[in-house]
Amino acid sequence: MAKNAHPPPPRRWWNPSAHARRRPRLLQRQAILAGVRAFFAERDFVEVETPALQVSPGLEPHLMAFATELVGPDERRSRLYLHTSPEFAMKKLLAAGEERLFQIARVFRNGERSDTHHPEFAMLEWYRAGAGYGALMEDCEGLLRAAAEAAGSRTLSWKGRAADPLLSPERLSVAEAFARHAGIDILATAPVADAPDAALLAHEARRIGVRVAEGDEWDDIFFRVFLERIEPRLGHPAATILYDYPISMAALSRPKADDPRLAERFELYVAGLELANAFSELTDAQEQRRRFTAWQRTKEARYGLAYPVDEDFLAALAAMPPSAGIALGIDRLVMLATGAERIEDILWAPVAENGNPTNSL
């Protein structure tokens, strides 16, 4: 930059020319949302709305929440959080007697901003009482087709990879994926199912040339191998349903009846992009408390903070019927259906950072 040159002015999202470039995809977003709602209406789901303000925002160790304070009319103050998912409230509605429900919720995650992450985003969650995760796999197949049709698209694509929504998704277990794409027997690195051995997985990672850092835990190494060797190969030319995770990686899921090393959990990948995370839900309140406590310890050790347990949720869990539930990123679905590479390309208005408009539009 020349000595006296000034930096270019920020490109504001509301600039008419910038908005005009983005508007076609935003109208496709509107059509996709309508298509999603029609998809669930045809299957006798009820659409619900639950509060973003919650006692607990969700306890996953690596998710960071936005905290706020509720001031009552008597000036009594209490700490609340913007939820990272509407899961706890929706499961309470299952306990109340709802059998098929969905929600398109605004959710909030701090410290997340990238081409595929935004601090506030839209999440689709749906639950089926009396069902297992297999029913959700069928839902995902139909939903991908409905979204593509609503957008007027024949493919779902992201950064040069494409998936045909008319093809049935590939179903691939986590163990099969590690064996096929990384040459690792992932279950052999967890001889004690709920306490996997980081040293065993570190040895396997180094053997295939994946970096291992000092102090890495088993989960850290798992994700590094997964991101480098496996994820880019998933979801094309058809979507991939990656199922049956090690039990240590599914704290909200029930174990498989025929193999307690595994949990009834799957993730949906399309064109190399993670789109959804699903479970056959755990309904054992005592076991759920044990897992929440373990998560709190992990978060405290890594980040120096921990969020509270929602005791009302645990009380409801004891009354919840056997169910299956799934969370799907609506913004990512819109990206795939419109061919957008960045999440801000399909948001009507992005969140400002430090009070300033984004320069990425």
Side-chain angles (χ1 to χ4, degrees):
M1 184 179 292
K3 183 177 180 180
N4 295 320
H6 296 287
R11 285 175 282 179
R12 304 179 187 275
W13 61 265
W14 47 262
N15 178 278
S17 61
H19 181 68
R21 288 193 300 271
R22 300 169 63 243
R23 192 170 187 271
R25 285 192 172 118
L26 298 175
L27 295 181
Q28 285 179 292
R29 178 190 182 99
Q30 176 180 286
I32 291 166
L33 289 173
V36 166
R37 288 189 162 94
F39 175 86
F40 285 106
E42 290 168 2
R43 288 157 180 78
D44 297 323
F45 279 73
V46 60
E47 182 173 6
V48 303
E49 298 172 285
T50 58
L53 287 172
Q54 294 289 326
V55 169
S56 175
L59 295 172
E60 290 89 336
H62 301 294
L63 293 185
M64 295 298 174
F66 291 89
T68 188
E69 187 176 57
L70 177 68
V71 180
D74 58 357
E75 297 190 359
R76 183 176 301 175
R77 298 171 183 270
S78 56
R79 173 63 63 91
L80 292 179
Y81 300 87
L82 293 174
H83 62 188
T84 59
S85 158
E87 177 176 7
F88 292 169
M90 293 184 75
K91 286 183 176 178
K92 292 174 186 179
L93 288 172
L94 286 170
E98 294 296 338
E99 296 184 349
R100 295 186 182 188
L101 63 159
F102 80 99
Q103 179 172 189
I104 299 174
R106 308 301 303 183
V107 298
F108 306 85
R109 296 182 180 181
N110 212 348
E112 296 192 6
R113 194 158 199 162
S114 70
D115 285 352
T116 57
H117 298 85
H118 203 68
E120 177 182 350
F121 62 100
M123 178 179 286
L124 166 66
E125 284 206 18
W126 72 95
Y127 293 84
R128 286 179 173 271
Y133 67 158
L136 300 179
M137 295 180 189
E138 299 298 327
D139 287 341
C140 286
E141 182 172 350
L143 188 63
L144 291 178
R145 293 174 181 171
E149 181 178 354
S153 175
R154 295 184 179 180
T155 61
L156 302 170
S157 62
W158 185 63
K159 292 193 173 181
R161 301 187 182 99
D164 185 341
L166 299 182
L167 293 177
S168 293
E170 172 193 32
R171 298 194 182 192
L172 182 68
S173 74
V174 171
E176 290 169 340
F178 269 79
R180 179 186 302 178
H181 299 307
I184 292 176
D185 182 348
I186 193 65
L187 296 180
T189 70
V192 178
D194 60 355
D197 192 320
L200 289 176
L201 186 52
H203 173 78
E204 290 297 290
R206 292 189 182 102
R207 178 180 61 80
I208 64 171
V210 172
R211 178 181 64 86
V212 177
E214 184 178 353
D216 273 351
E217 297 185 3
W218 188 89
D219 284 10
D220 300 315
I221 306 166
F222 177 100
F223 284 119
R224 195 171 297 124
V225 173
F226 183 80
L227 292 172
E228 290 185 18
R229 300 299 176 90
I230 299 171
E231 186 178 61
R233 302 183 181 184
L234 302 180
H236 51 95
T240 299
I241 291 172
L242 189 69
Y243 68 94
D244 287 359
Y245 276 71
I247 192 69
S248 65
M249 303 188 71
L252 295 166
S253 174
R254 68 173 176 247
K256 283 183 70 71
D258 59 351
D259 191 343
R261 299 176 302 168
L262 302 174
E264 293 187 352
R265 172 191 175 191
F266 76 83
E267 290 190 319
L268 176 65
Y269 286 83
V270 181
L273 184 63
E274 178 196 345
L275 184 59
N277 187 21
F279 302 94
S280 294
E281 301 293 349
L282 181 67
T283 55
D284 182 333
Q286 183 175 353
E287 173 62 15
Q288 186 67 84
R289 182 185 295 279
R290 185 190 71 80
R291 296 186 192 183
F292 278 167
T293 301
W295 270 359
Q296 286 178 310
R297 287 197 297 265
T298 298
K299 198 181 201 82
E300 180 70 39
R302 290 197 175 196
Y303 305 112
L305 78 161
Y307 301 133
V309 171
D310 182 347
E311 294 292 341
D312 192 51
F313 168 69
L314 290 177
L317 198 65
M320 195 178 95
S323 305
I326 181 168
L328 181 147
I330 279 285
D331 303 311
R332 292 188 182 186
L333 180 61
V334 175
M335 289 171 63
L336 289 162
T338 64
E341 295 191 353
R342 300 175 306 123
I343 194 169
E344 291 193 0
D345 291 338
I346 51 82
L347 299 179
W348 283 94
V351 172
E353 192 164 342
N354 296 323
N356 296 317
T358 178
N359 265 308
S360 64
L361 294 175

